[in-house]
Amino acid sequence: MKLAIPEFNGRVSPVFDCSRRLLVIDTAVQGQGRITIQDWTGVDGVKRTERLLELGVNTLLCGGISSDLAGQIKASGIKVISWISGEVSEVLAAYQNGALPDPELTMPGCRRTRFRGQACGRQDLTPEKRGSRRKATEPGWR
Amino acid sequence: MKDKKAKNPTTEETAVILDSINDGVFTVDENFTITSFNRSAERITGVHTEEALGRRCWEVFKADICEGDCALKHTTKTGEPVVNRSITILNAKGEQIPISVSTALLKNRRGRIIGGVETFRDLSLVEALLREVQSRFRFADMVSGNRKMKDIFAILPDIAQSGSSVLVEGESGTGKELMARAIHDLSSRSDGPLVTVNCGAIPDTLLESELFGHVAGAFTDAKRDKPGKFELARGGTIFLDEVGDVTPAHQVKLLRVLQERVFEPLGSTTPVVADVRIITATNRDLAAEVKAGRFRSDLFYRINVIRIVLPALRERKEDIPLLTEHIIQKMNLLKNKEIAGLSPAVLEAFLHHDWPGNIRELENVIERAFILCPGPMIQCRHLPDTFACGDEGFDTFHDGDTLLDMEIKTIREALVRNNWNRSATARELGVDRSTVWRKCKQFGIIPPPRR
């Protein structure tokens, strides 16, 4: 089982589409898992999906991701858990404990509230559809 | 009179001011942690202020430059502001939003750097409008606002779908190959190849072999079979450029392909079916060539099913600003430069030039200027000597100039900027159209000649 996390300054990279470092964690290896670091500078667009497949990644944990790229990666059979933020070690621990998604490890603007489920990355969730109590004219996602 | 001392706004007042503006604004401390976030920033990013404050800016802003070439980092490192840089950010739906950003340093009263400020503007609507406007003047990779060209663009889809032979006439450099490409791309053969043959560039002795191919042993060096261009274009389109240069001997062979849709490779007796659409082009007046007996009339009528005549650049000088912008955009990408445009003097020189080499010459002149010009505007000194162009005395005023000189220069510059449109010039100068007309007549200001 291989897990990939784009990393920036020790935290989950904010935008997977242009992240420059990828940590690949082989969880089949005993203990903490073996981590390899990939330089992804210059790996653009559809090449990102191809490289993930080449690396044998099963699950991608990432921050923001464009809906097009997320769709491509999912279509290639890789599980995508997106819109995550936080220290890579924290995110990894939460994933291994089955605690994702966690509101504390969610990107700003993407937290679940009483009136909405998954807040980010869903094109179909227009403000009007997210709950009758929301004002469509209100800025932001609340 | 009371001596009122200017008072610095309070934090609350500053927040109200920031919330009232339409651009997104946020500030960061030295660690790039967000310290303020206005209402427009909430609207554009989709992140509420309470969620944004105290977070690292890259997790809130989600821009394509955050990890590599961060504008705020550049400013805090060098002290240089970034102005109107175009980037994209990711919104909460996973859509990439085009925005422009500007940055500046934040200093305390003692002048010590305490962070940075970033302002940003949503360009989604601007880009959508720009695409809409550009699409009216664009067809495939061709750009024009000229009436003749727009008439051609209007019928091009029907021509492409018809599958008939097309003859494109026009001077060298008018975009005949682009036209052939557009016809091919719009046709039902677009999945097939487009094979271009410049008949004028191939020696007469080789033309037959190039077009129809040869079999092994057809001539001394023919060691193996070689497919010709007609075979390579199977299922697609063959574009025969400079067809007027083909000798009468080869004109007969071309005529046979057009009439019977078969050809024989050199040295072979087995006919091969020509499954191609034929587009031809020439810079000669083929009808005149027929009259002079240099071009076969039967071939002319075969290739002249649909005739498109491309106007020379000197006949569509109104396209020069559009074409220039298009070429500069393309070259900025290719050469990784940020040239903004032409100085008014260069534009005027372009409008006065005859352009015997047409758009190809325009492209070459701009490419040359790209090498010499560090940016942002292409100036007269970046043009070849053949251009009558002088930066001095055009967009500047000099010692000894009279008010009348200044008035003439102002009107002339405004006319050039507005492509000699008197209504637009009048709007820019804030006067009546009739005033512009009267002043032009009074000062003898006339637009460049259009042939």
Side-chain angles (χ1 to χ4, degrees):
Chain A
M1 171 86 175
K2 278 188 180 174
L3 196 67
I5 306 180
E7 178 259 346
F8 176 58
N9 287 348
R11 296 174 69 82
V12 177
S13 165
V15 184
F16 176 67
D17 301 57
C18 37
S19 58
R20 296 183 167 201
R21 262 160 69 96
L22 187 80
L23 308 184
V24 180
I25 301 121
D26 191 346
T27 53
V29 179
Q30 282 191 338
Q32 289 291 306
R34 195 183 61 202
I35 298 175
T36 50
I37 299 169
Q38 301 277 325
D39 179 3
W40 271 39
T41 313
V43 183
D44 299 321
V46 75
K47 281 189 196 157
R48 300 213 154 212
T49 312
E50 289 168 5
R51 288 285 287 272
L52 288 174
L53 287 169
E54 282 166 17
L55 292 165
V57 169
N58 309 96
T59 304
L60 171 70
L61 297 182
C62 64
I65 183 169
S66 68
S67 49
D68 289 347
L69 186 57
Q72 275 171 23
I73 297 171
K74 284 175 191 168
S76 69
I78 297 170
K79 187 178 177 188
V80 179
I81 303 174
S82 53
W83 305 98
I84 290 170
S85 74
E87 299 282 340
V88 170
S89 52
E90 273 182 295
V91 170
L92 203 53
Y95 174 75
Q96 283 169 338
N97 294 332
L100 289 180
D102 176 346
E104 294 303 314
L105 296 174
T106 300
M107 292 195 94
C110 296
R111 287 184 190 164
R112 288 162 185 255
T113 67
R114 193 177 153 192
F115 300 110
R116 65 179 182 197
Q118 171 72 41
C120 284
R122 283 184 60 180
Q123 295 268 356
D124 55 327
L125 286 179
T126 56
E128 291 78 7
K129 285 182 185 171
R130 281 204 200 97
S132 55
R133 296 188 191 193
R134 268 173 51 79
K135 286 181 189 170
T137 51
E138 194 71 20
W141 295 93
R142 291 192 164 188
Chain B
M1 198 173 143
K2 272 190 180 178
D3 182 23
K4 279 190 180 175
K5 228 181 173 183
K7 192 181 72 165
N8 283 332
T10 62
T11 312
E12 289 77 20
E13 283 170 343
T14 308
V16 171
I17 294 167
L18 286 176
D19 279 346
S20 68
I21 60 176
N22 202 33
D23 285 358
V25 183
F26 69 81
T27 55
V28 295
D29 64 13
E30 288 162 299
N31 299 317
F32 299 98
T33 302
I34 291 181
T35 50
S36 75
F37 203 71
N38 80 339
R39 191 161 289 188
S40 292
E42 287 185 330
R43 175 175 49 80
I44 300 168
T45 61
V47 180
H48 248 258
T49 301
E50 309 91 84
E51 281 191 87
L53 295 178
R55 302 294 293 250
R56 295 295 167 93
C57 59
W58 60 79
E59 290 188 342
V60 174
F61 204 44
K62 300 186 272 287
D64 55 352
I65 57 168
C66 288
E67 286 187 35
D69 194 15
C70 170
L72 263 176
K73 200 172 179 180
H74 172 82
T75 298
T76 51
K77 210 171 169 182
T78 63
E80 292 170 6
V82 170
V83 181
N84 281 337
R85 186 167 165 200
S86 295
I87 62 165
T88 59
I89 59 168
L90 205 60
N91 73 4
K93 285 184 192 172
E95 294 165 335
Q96 282 163 325
I97 309 290
I99 61 164
S100 71
V101 294
S102 301
T103 58
L105 278 181
L106 271 184
K107 293 179 181 176
N108 65 10
R109 283 179 188 173
R110 290 178 191 166
R112 196 176 75 83
I113 297 167
I114 54 168
V117 57
E118 183 153 326
T119 59
F120 54 103
R121 182 170 294 178
D122 187 349
L123 299 179
S124 308
L125 185 63
V126 175
E127 292 223 340
L129 288 172
L130 201 62
R131 271 198 300 275
E132 173 68 28
V133 170
Q134 283 177 343
S135 68
R136 290 186 194 171
F137 299 109
R138 272 170 200 245
F139 201 95
D141 204 26
M142 290 174 287
V143 183
S144 183
N146 174 271
R147 185 182 291 274
K148 277 187 192 169
M149 289 299 289
K150 281 167 114 176
D151 288 346
I152 295 172
F153 293 167
I155 55 168
L156 212 52
D158 293 331
I159 292 175
Q161 284 299 320
S162 70
S164 306
S165 299
V166 180
L167 171 65
V168 186
E169 283 187 351
E171 289 181 13
S172 180
T174 46
K176 296 189 289 289
E177 192 166 348
L178 279 181
M179 183 59 72
R181 161 68 61 190
I183 294 169
H184 171 73
D185 287 346
L186 290 166
S187 74
S188 55
R189 290 176 173 268
S190 59
D191 287 341
L194 170 70
V195 175
T196 300
V197 186
N198 189 331
C199 302
I202 301 172
D204 201 40
T205 47
L206 295 179
L207 189 64
E208 187 177 356
S209 160
E210 277 294 311
L211 289 178
F212 307 121
H214 61 249
V215 294
F219 48 88
T220 313
D221 284 330
K223 295 201 169 60
R224 59 186 69 167
D225 291 359
K226 186 192 165 204
K229 301 290 187 187
F230 272 91
E231 184 60 25
L232 293 172
R234 179 179 286 276
T237 307
I238 189 164
F239 173 52
L240 303 174
D241 201 2
E242 309 301 356
V243 74
D245 295 358
V246 175
T247 57
H250 289 117
Q251 286 174 22
V252 183
K253 287 167 183 159
L254 273 180
L255 179 65
R256 182 167 175 242
V257 183
L258 279 156
Q259 271 179 343
E260 297 169 28
R261 293 272 153 194
V262 289
F263 63 92
E264 278 133 28
L266 208 60
S268 167
T269 49
T270 316
V272 179
V273 175
D275 175 20
V276 293
R277 181 195 200 164
I278 298 173
I279 301 176
T280 49
T282 181
N283 58 7
R284 299 182 183 198
D285 181 353
L286 272 197
E289 294 290 301
V290 170
K291 271 189 188 164
R294 288 188 291 267
F295 201 83
R296 291 183 66 104
S297 59
D298 40 11
L299 178 60
F300 175 64
Y301 294 121
R302 279 283 170 187
I303 58 177
N304 189 22
V305 179
I306 299 164
R307 181 164 164 258
I308 295 173
V309 181
L310 294 177
L313 186 54
R314 63 177 171 277
E315 292 163 18
R316 43 183 280 218
K317 281 194 173 173
E318 69 272 32
D319 276 347
I320 288 177
L322 262 177
L323 286 163
T324 308
E325 193 189 326
H326 179 66
I327 297 165
I328 288 176
Q329 271 177 8
K330 211 164 62 176
M331 285 198 185
N332 272 334
L333 288 173
L334 284 173
K335 313 262 179 198
N336 200 20
K337 286 191 124 179
E338 287 187 5
I339 303 290
L342 309 178
S343 74
V346 172
L347 182 58
E348 178 159 309
F350 276 13
L351 291 170
H352 275 98
H353 190 66
D354 257 359
W355 301 106
N358 291 296
I359 301 168
R360 189 178 293 128
E361 185 188 356
L362 178 66
E363 273 182 335
N364 291 346
V365 169
I366 295 174
E367 187 173 350
R368 179 189 190 273
F370 257 68
I371 298 166
L372 303 175
C373 175
M377 301 295 267
I378 294 174
Q379 307 284 349
C380 286
R381 61 181 177 277
H382 306 131
L383 300 186
D385 295 337
T386 46
F387 281 82
C389 180
D391 283 327
E392 65 286 342
F394 188 83
D395 50 357
T396 52
F397 300 116
H398 297 288
D399 251 4
D401 274 358
T402 60
L403 282 174
L404 190 67
D405 292 333
M406 288 172 73
E407 189 179 3
I408 294 170
K409 280 177 186 172
T410 305
I411 295 170
R412 193 173 178 77
E413 281 178 31
L415 280 162
V416 170
R417 273 196 300 277
N418 290 291
N419 200 14
W420 295 90
N421 181 319
R422 279 191 290 235
S423 301
T425 305
R427 270 197 300 279
E428 182 186 321
L429 296 174
V431 295
D432 280 345
R433 190 177 178 279
S434 58
T435 307
V436 175
W437 181 83
R438 191 165 42 78
K439 295 276 182 188
C440 285
K441 200 173 171 193
Q442 185 185 344
F443 301 138
I445 301 172
I446 49 164
R450 280 185 195 164
R451 293 185 190 177

